[in-house]
Amino acid sequence: MEFFDKIGKMAIGSRLRMLSEIVTEDASKIYNLYGIDFHPKWFPVYYVLAEGKANTITSIAKEIGHSHPSVSKIISEMVKAGLVLEKSETTDGRRNVVSLSAKGNEVTLKIQDQYTDLNSAIEDMLGQTTHNLWKALAEWEFLLEQKSLLKRVTEQQKLRERSNVTIVDFESMYLDAFVNLNTEWISHYFKMEESDYKALNNAEEYILNNGGYILVALYKGEPLGVCALIKYPTDDFDFELAKMAVSPKAQGKNIGGLLGAAVIDKAKSLGAKKLYLESNTILKPAINLYHKLGFVKIPERPTPYERCNIQMELVL
Amino acid sequence: MEFFDKIGKMAIGSRLRMLSEIVTEDASKIYNLYGIDFHPKWFPVYYVLAEGKANTITSIAKEIGHSHPSVSKIISEMVKAGLVLEKSETTDGRRNVVSLSAKGNEVTLKIQDQYTDLNSAIEDMLGQTTHNLWKALAEWEFLLEQKSLLKRVTEQQKLRERSNVTIVDFESMYLDAFVNLNTEWISHYFKMEESDYKALNNAEEYILNNGGYILVALYKGEPLGVCALIKYPTDDFDFELAKMAVSPKAQGKNIGGLLGAAVIDKAKSLGAKKLYLESNTILKPAINLYHKLGFVKIPERPTPYERCNIQMELVL
DNA sequence: TACTTTTACGTAACTAATTACGTAATTAAT
DNA sequence: ATTAATTACGTAATTAGTTACGTAAAAGTA
């Protein structure tokens, strides 16, 4: 089993399966040892019947956490072995009411000792270990019920990706990225307009020297996201959030979200009270993001952009 | 999963299987999350190939602890998916030499992140538990390799049965048992002889009042085994171990062994140096037991019993 | 050199579970 | 009183492994 140490936690499923196989294989031999004609897989069903708790296929399935076809098969095997009786003598004709036969009840007597011995053998093993497998299993079942492994991995993924992204202030070395990333999406969804050329071709003069800012998202050092904070010409707003662009190859890494949050932080630190933005409703993920960031739709107001069909604001 | 708490350790196999199922089901979704077209069950094989360690079906199987048909199937699936290449261009025409294809190597790049994230997710879970599942699994694998569950249960069984057996000195209330148990096996394998009647019908007089002893094995209070220690008439031996009988319904509980050991102890405590016994070689389990107790075959000597064809002694 | 044993590995059949699906009985809703 | 939805459960197909078996190549042996 040393293989598992190298392979890491990736194969915990395989590892559990293998141990389960080793254990159940021996379980089968153990029944033999006690002279009981019994398959280990019957045990959960048998146990429920011996307790006299549930007595229809579905209720047993629910009790033991199996699917009903599984119980159905086990019951038919146990019927064949003479351990279980089926009867439909209830008011509900769909139900298959089952119970232990006389022979099935005999097993109960025989199985007592085995139960005791297996229990002590396992207790003995648990006593020899420093890490209690039984309790560890219960803890894992609990944790996985609270939050699935899938969700946990997704969270780790987000966490890791976030650490790959750093948001930095604009420098002239990022000018190309600022222009290209914006040109790319604008000409993909719409067409470049007069105001686009103005803002992109003279970014430093038009945005930065005018009291505005540009933030750049670096993904593993590469500038793959940009966003501008342009000083708003009137008193209605402090800044306009504009020219936000994220490279398609960095999509799904929440770079937009990080960039947006950073831009808002920046505005806040500058004492801004109100942000403005313009967009188009066909850009669903963008609108969604703005929403998440706290922007709300406002009534139509004049804009130099042809593609603009929605305007939003964020009160800080 | 509360079912398992009631059912006890009996279903540890089921419990392991269920957890394994939950985990591997999510594993499949996790590959999806990272855009990798990959079945979780391929992973162990893939890992070995990526490490460049083993490259034939059997060697991979050995490495990962699967059967070779399992690896064979996985390889053919991975070949179909274009991740693995097969070639028989070796000197040994039986071997199927496999390796990752270019596409297979691409997976290595994609899988890195997933590997990291899954590892951290699991480490995170392990950190949240007080009982470390990972280490507990390793401990169980180790313990079961040392001694199988079957063997452990067998030992517990022996231990428990021993506690059900008590060896007591003869009392007149056990006379019936002494007579019946002996009559039963003697007339089953042979026929009752003159000396049998003498010893059984006048046990108290013939054995006890003659410096001999009778010990009784009580199984859960019931006298199911007897054994006599008869004063030997000459100086050759101190006692003859005779009239040992165990009820067929208590067979396999090592009552003979316990009884034998107790009788020898008794003889020792009486200062005896040499014990004698007579038997017949068709009684294999008995001869076997005498052997285990330390008796060795001795040359033929006169005996009143027709059925006797072997004689043994034990030097204390 | 010829014969036997071992090794490598594929195919087939089995196992213990699952999902998917169909059918009949019951219950709820119009 | 119909009709629709739900429930109970069996059968079939699928899954991820196993053992059993057969065949061909290689290695060992007389």
Side-chain angles (χ1 to χ4, degrees):
Chain A
M1 300 297 160
E2 57 180 303
F3 177 66
F4 287 120
D5 285 331
K6 289 175 284 174
I7 202 172
K9 310 299 184 301
M10 197 90 173
I12 194 163
S14 292
R15 191 171 196 172
L16 287 164
R17 187 187 45 72
M18 279 189 184
L19 187 55
S20 139
E21 256 164 34
I22 292 171
V23 169
T24 32
E25 206 198 302
D26 262 22
S28 165
K29 290 183 200 149
I30 291 169
Y31 282 105
N32 237 308
L33 187 66
Y34 290 77
I36 305 172
D37 182 23
F38 202 87
H39 292 256
K41 65 161 176 166
W42 293 353
F43 187 77
V45 170
Y46 159 79
Y47 183 85
V48 168
L49 290 177
E51 290 275 292
K53 269 178 206 155
N55 55 357
T56 70
I57 302 294
T58 343
S59 61
I60 296 171
K62 207 175 200 172
E63 179 87 11
I64 69 174
H66 279 205
S67 65
H68 85 262
S70 165
V71 174
S72 178
K73 255 188 209 160
I74 290 171
I75 287 291
S76 69
E77 285 171 25
M78 289 178 81
V79 166
K80 215 174 188 177
L83 301 175
V84 159
L85 298 171
E86 288 175 307
K87 44 185 171 173
S88 313
E89 30 123 331
T90 35
T91 46
D92 189 336
R94 297 164 304 173
R95 308 174 108 204
N96 184 357
V97 178
V98 294
S99 56
L100 289 185
S101 66
K103 193 177 164 193
N105 277 314
E106 265 172 47
V107 170
T108 311
L109 298 172
K110 284 199 211 168
I111 223 168
Q112 291 300 335
D113 287 342
Q114 182 188 347
Y115 187 89
T116 313
D117 295 340
L118 182 61
N119 241 48
S120 1
I122 291 181
E123 289 291 357
D124 191 52
M125 285 184 74
L126 290 174
Q128 281 174 51
T129 59
T130 47
H131 304 276
N132 189 307
L133 178 63
W134 193 254
K135 289 183 181 167
L137 285 172
E139 286 183 326
W140 268 63
E141 283 159 3
F142 176 78
L143 285 178
L144 288 177
E145 217 168 293
Q146 300 295 304
K147 199 192 289 177
S148 76
L149 188 57
L150 179 63
K151 196 159 184 198
R152 285 166 194 275
V153 172
T154 314
E155 285 176 4
Q156 289 296 331
Q157 186 184 29
K158 281 227 179 79
L159 223 67
R160 181 177 45 77
E161 301 244 287
R162 181 159 306 172
S163 76
N164 284 329
V165 177
T166 35
I167 309 289
V168 297
D169 274 321
F170 181 83
E171 287 177 51
S172 49
M173 63 189 280
Y174 300 133
L175 185 60
D176 277 359
F178 182 66
V179 175
N180 295 337
L181 288 172
N182 272 295
T183 312
E184 192 174 351
W185 76 262
I186 296 170
S187 45
H188 181 257
Y189 286 100
F190 311 99
K191 61 174 202 287
M192 292 287 283
E193 300 181 29
E194 188 51 36
S195 303
D196 289 320
Y197 290 117
K198 228 195 295 182
L200 294 175
N201 291 342
N202 307 295
E204 285 176 304
E205 193 187 320
Y206 180 81
I207 301 173
L208 300 173
N209 297 345
N210 247 329
Y213 298 86
I214 296 176
L215 293 186
V216 178
L218 300 176
Y219 181 77
K220 296 186 176 175
E222 206 185 342
L224 294 183
V226 292
C227 184
L229 213 48
I230 303 174
K231 187 84 195 133
Y232 200 78
T234 74
D235 276 355
D236 295 344
F237 303 95
D238 295 293
F239 293 101
E240 176 184 352
L241 190 159
K243 296 288 173 286
M244 180 187 270
V246 173
S247 166
K249 64 177 170 177
Q251 228 92 73
K253 301 188 193 302
N254 194 33
I255 288 181
L258 294 169
L259 210 45
V263 162
I264 291 171
D265 274 357
K266 182 85 178 178
K268 261 186 200 160
S269 73
L270 292 166
K273 297 274 173 273
K274 234 173 163 187
L275 298 186
Y276 170 74
L277 70 77
E278 302 185 330
S279 187
N280 186 295
T281 45
I282 71 160
L283 303 169
K284 293 234 176 78
I287 302 291
N288 213 357
L289 170 63
Y290 299 144
H291 224 94
K292 247 193 212 161
L293 290 169
F295 282 88
V296 292
K297 194 177 181 309
I298 54 172
E300 202 179 326
R301 32 183 307 132
T303 165
Y305 288 99
E306 215 175 282
R307 63 172 175 269
C308 166
N309 77 346
I310 182 171
Q311 293 156 319
M312 306 175 88
E313 70 167 18
L314 171 63
V315 180
L316 296 169
Chain B
M1 299 298 158
E2 58 181 299
F3 177 64
F4 287 120
D5 285 331
K6 287 175 284 173
I7 202 172
K9 308 299 184 302
M10 198 88 171
I12 195 164
S14 292
R15 192 171 197 174
L16 286 165
R17 188 187 46 72
M18 278 188 183
L19 187 55
S20 140
E21 255 164 33
I22 292 171
V23 170
T24 34
E25 205 196 303
D26 263 21
S28 164
K29 289 182 199 148
I30 291 169
Y31 282 104
N32 237 308
L33 187 66
Y34 290 76
I36 306 172
D37 181 22
F38 202 89
H39 291 256
K41 67 163 174 162
W42 294 351
F43 186 77
V45 170
Y46 159 79
Y47 182 84
V48 168
L49 290 177
E51 290 274 294
K53 269 179 208 151
N55 56 355
T56 68
I57 303 295
T58 345
S59 60
I60 296 171
K62 208 173 200 174
E63 180 84 13
I64 69 175
H66 278 203
S67 63
H68 85 261
S70 166
V71 174
S72 177
K73 255 185 210 163
I74 290 172
I75 287 290
S76 69
E77 285 173 25
M78 291 178 81
V79 166
K80 214 175 188 174
L83 301 175
V84 159
L85 300 170
E86 288 175 306
K87 43 183 172 177
S88 312
E89 29 123 334
T90 36
T91 45
D92 189 337
R94 295 165 304 175
R95 308 173 106 203
N96 184 356
V97 179
V98 294
S99 56
L100 289 185
S101 67
K103 194 177 165 194
N105 277 313
E106 265 172 47
V107 170
T108 311
L109 298 171
K110 284 199 210 165
I111 224 169
Q112 290 301 336
D113 287 343
Q114 182 189 343
Y115 187 87
T116 313
D117 296 340
L118 182 60
N119 239 48
S120 353
I122 290 181
E123 289 290 356
D124 193 53
M125 285 182 75
L126 290 175
Q128 281 175 51
T129 58
T130 46
H131 304 276
N132 189 306
L133 178 63
W134 194 254
K135 290 183 181 168
L137 285 172
E139 286 183 325
W140 268 62
E141 284 159 2
F142 176 78
L143 285 178
L144 288 177
E145 217 168 292
Q146 300 296 305
K147 200 192 287 177
S148 76
L149 187 59
L150 178 62
K151 193 156 184 202
R152 285 165 192 277
V153 171
T154 313
E155 285 177 4
Q156 289 297 330
Q157 187 184 28
K158 281 225 181 82
L159 222 68
R160 180 177 46 75
E161 300 243 288
R162 181 157 308 169
S163 78
N164 283 329
V165 178
T166 35
I167 308 290
V168 296
D169 274 320
F170 181 84
E171 288 177 49
S172 51
M173 63 190 280
Y174 300 133
L175 184 60
D176 276 358
F178 181 69
V179 174
N180 295 337
L181 288 171
N182 273 295
T183 312
E184 193 173 350
W185 76 263
I186 294 169
S187 46
H188 180 258
Y189 289 97
F190 311 98
K191 62 173 204 290
M192 293 286 281
E193 302 182 29
E194 187 52 39
S195 301
D196 291 318
Y197 290 117
K198 229 196 295 182
L200 295 174
N201 291 343
N202 308 295
E204 284 174 304
E205 191 187 320
Y206 180 82
I207 301 173
L208 301 172
N209 298 344
N210 247 330
Y213 298 87
I214 296 174
L215 294 187
V216 179
L218 300 176
Y219 182 77
K220 295 182 177 177
E222 204 185 342
L224 295 184
V226 291
C227 183
L229 210 50
I230 304 176
K231 187 84 191 137
Y232 200 76
T234 74
D235 277 355
D236 296 342
F237 303 97
D238 296 295
F239 293 102
E240 175 183 353
L241 191 158
K243 296 286 172 288
M244 181 187 271
V246 173
S247 165
K249 66 178 172 176
Q251 227 93 71
K253 299 189 194 303
N254 193 32
I255 288 181
L258 295 169
L259 208 45
V263 162
I264 291 172
D265 274 357
K266 182 86 178 176
K268 260 186 200 162
S269 74
L270 293 166
K273 297 275 175 267
K274 235 170 162 190
L275 299 186
Y276 169 73
L277 69 77
E278 302 183 332
S279 188
N280 186 295
T281 45
I282 72 159
L283 303 170
K284 293 234 179 74
I287 301 293
N288 213 356
L289 169 64
Y290 299 144
H291 223 94
K292 248 193 211 162
L293 290 170
F295 281 88
V296 291
K297 192 176 182 310
I298 52 172
E300 204 181 325
R301 32 185 305 134
T303 165
Y305 288 100
E306 215 176 284
R307 63 173 175 270
C308 165
N309 75 347
I310 183 172
Q311 292 156 320
M312 303 175 90
E313 70 168 17
L314 171 64
V315 180
L316 296 170

